[in-house]
Amino acid sequence: MSQNIMGEKIKGLYKSVCKDNYSAYTSGILVAILSILMLAWDRPWGATGAVRNWAEWLMYGIGAWGDDAPASFLKHTGSVIGLGFIGGAFVSACLGGDFAFRIPPKLEMVKGVIAGLFMGTGAAFAGGCNVGGFYNAIGNLSAHGFAMMLGLVFGAILGLKYTYWEMEKISWGQGGGKTIELPSALQAVLGLAALALGIWGAYAYAGAESEKIAKLSGTLMIAAALGYVFQRGRWCMIQGFREPHMTGECSLAKSVALSVAILAIGIAVIKYQGLREVEHYVRGVFGWGGVFGGVVFGFGAILAGGCGTGTLWRVGEGQIKLWIVVPFFGLSNAIVDNFVKNKEWEAAFGESAFLGKSVYMPETFLGYGGTIALILFAMAVWYVVVDWNEDTNKFTLEM
C-alpha cells in the first residue's frame, strides 16, 4: 500500500512539474528569480545576442561578414544563453508531451520572414528585444526600457490592426498547415537525452581553465531553466501587450508587470550593496530610438506570433514558423546593429547621441529609492489599467 501511495505521489509531482501548464503569475515570479540569479552569476540575459551571433556565423560562412570569424557560438555568452534557453524549452515540451513539428500554411511562412526582418531591425534600434530592450532594461534600472515599453504598446496595436485586415482581405496561403506528432515515449527519450546533454555541457564548461568559460556552466543551466519555465507557462511578453487590445484578457500583462517589479527590486539590492561587479546593462536609446525600435519590434512580434523569448521557446517545441523567424531576425539585427554602431548613433554610458540618451536611473536625482519607487509605480499603473480594461474593454480593438 505504501509503495502505491509513493508511486502516486511521484506521478503527481511529475505531472505538476512536467505536464501541467504553470500559471502566468507563477511563471512571471520564476522568470524574475532566475533573471536575478543570472545577473548575480554573470550578467543580464537576453535573446538577441544569440540570434545575432548565429547570423554572423551564417554571413561569415558565405563570405559576407569579413575576414575575422565571429565569436565561437559555444563560447559567446549570448549564444550559450540562447542554446540553453531553446534546450530547456525542448526538454519541457518533450517531457510534457507538447513537442511536434508544426508546419504552418504558406502565408504564415512568408510572414515568418517579414516578422524576423522587423524584429531584428527593431531590436537594433531599441537596444535589444523585449528582454534586453524592455524587461531586463527596466529590471536593471535603465530608462531605455520605458522607451521601448511605450513603443511595444503601439507596435502591438499596429500588428493587431494588420492581423484583422489580413483576416478580412487575404485568402492566399491560409490552408495547408499540418502537424507531425511524435510518440509520447520517443518524446520522453528525447527530453531526457537533451537534459543529459545539457548537464554534460555544464560539467564540460565547469572544467575549463579559463574562468570566463567555466562560468558558462551556470549560464547554460540558468538559461535552460528559463526556457523550461517559459515553455511550461507559455509565457510570452508580447501577448501581454497584445491581449488587452484583442480579447481584453490581462493575466499575462499583469504577470509581466509583477515580474518586472520583482526583478527590479532584486537587482537593485545586488547593485546598491555592491555584492559583485555587474554590468549596468544601460543602452543609449532612451529617446526616439527606443520608441521607434519598440514599435517596429512589436509589430514584427505580432506577425511572428512570439517575441524574442517567445520565438525561442516555440522553436524548442517544434513550431516551424518560428524556425523561419530566427535566421531573418538574426540577419537583420546583425546588419542594422552594425550600421548603427558604425554611425555611432547610440550614446555611450551617461551621454547623448542620435538615438537618445544613456540613463542609469539611480545616477539621476532619483537615486536607488526613487528609481524603485518609479518602477513600482509604473508597473502598478499598467497592472490597474489592464485590469480595468478587462472589465470595461475600453482599449479593446474591434474587428
Side-chain angles (χ1 to χ4, degrees), residues 14-22 27 84-100 102 184 187-188 190-195 223-235 312-318:
Y14 181 83
K15 182 175 182 294
S16 297
V17 174
C18 300
K19 297 189 76 70
D20 291 346
N21 287 336
Y22 300 167
S27 300
F85 192 94
I86 292 175
F90 178 74
V91 170
S92 173
C94 287
L95 296 184
D98 300 327
F99 185 85
R102 297 172 175 86
S184 57
Q187 289 189 55
L190 291 174
L192 291 174
L195 178 61
L226 280 162
Y228 191 98
V229 170
F230 268 83
Q231 197 283 330
R232 200 75 265 131
R234 310 204 67 78
W235 209 66
L312 293 185
W313 70 251
R314 287 181 172 90
V315 164
E317 67 173 22

Side-chain angles (χ1 to χ4, degrees), residues 30 56 99 171 257 268 282 339 366 380:
L30 289 174
E56 288 170 355
F99 185 85
S171 59
V282 180
F339 174 81
L366 291 169

Side-chain angles (χ1 to χ4, degrees), residues 306-362:
C307 49
T309 47
T311 293
L312 293 185
W313 70 251
R314 287 181 172 90
V315 164
E317 67 173 22
Q319 296 199 32
I320 303 302
K321 178 182 178 181
L322 283 307
W323 291 21
I324 296 171
V325 170
V326 166
F328 290 96
F329 180 1
L331 287 168
S332 60
N333 185 259
I335 294 169
V336 178
D337 185 71
N338 190 57
F339 174 81
V340 168
K341 287 177 179 176
N342 287 337
K343 290 290 186 179
E344 298 183 345
W345 281 359
E346 183 178 341
F349 187 82
E351 298 180 5
S352 301
F354 182 62
L355 294 181
K357 297 181 179 181
S358 171
V359 181
Y360 181 57
M361 292 186 285

Side-chain angles (χ1 to χ4, degrees), residues 196-218:
L197 179 63
I199 294 172
W200 174 83
Y203 273 101
Y205 280 129
E209 294 183 3
S210 166
E211 182 180 352
K212 181 179 179 181
I213 300 301
K215 262 193 170 183
L216 292 176
S217 60

Side-chain angles (χ1 to χ4, degrees), residues 32 78 207 221 360 392:
M221 288 291 95
Y360 181 57
T392 63

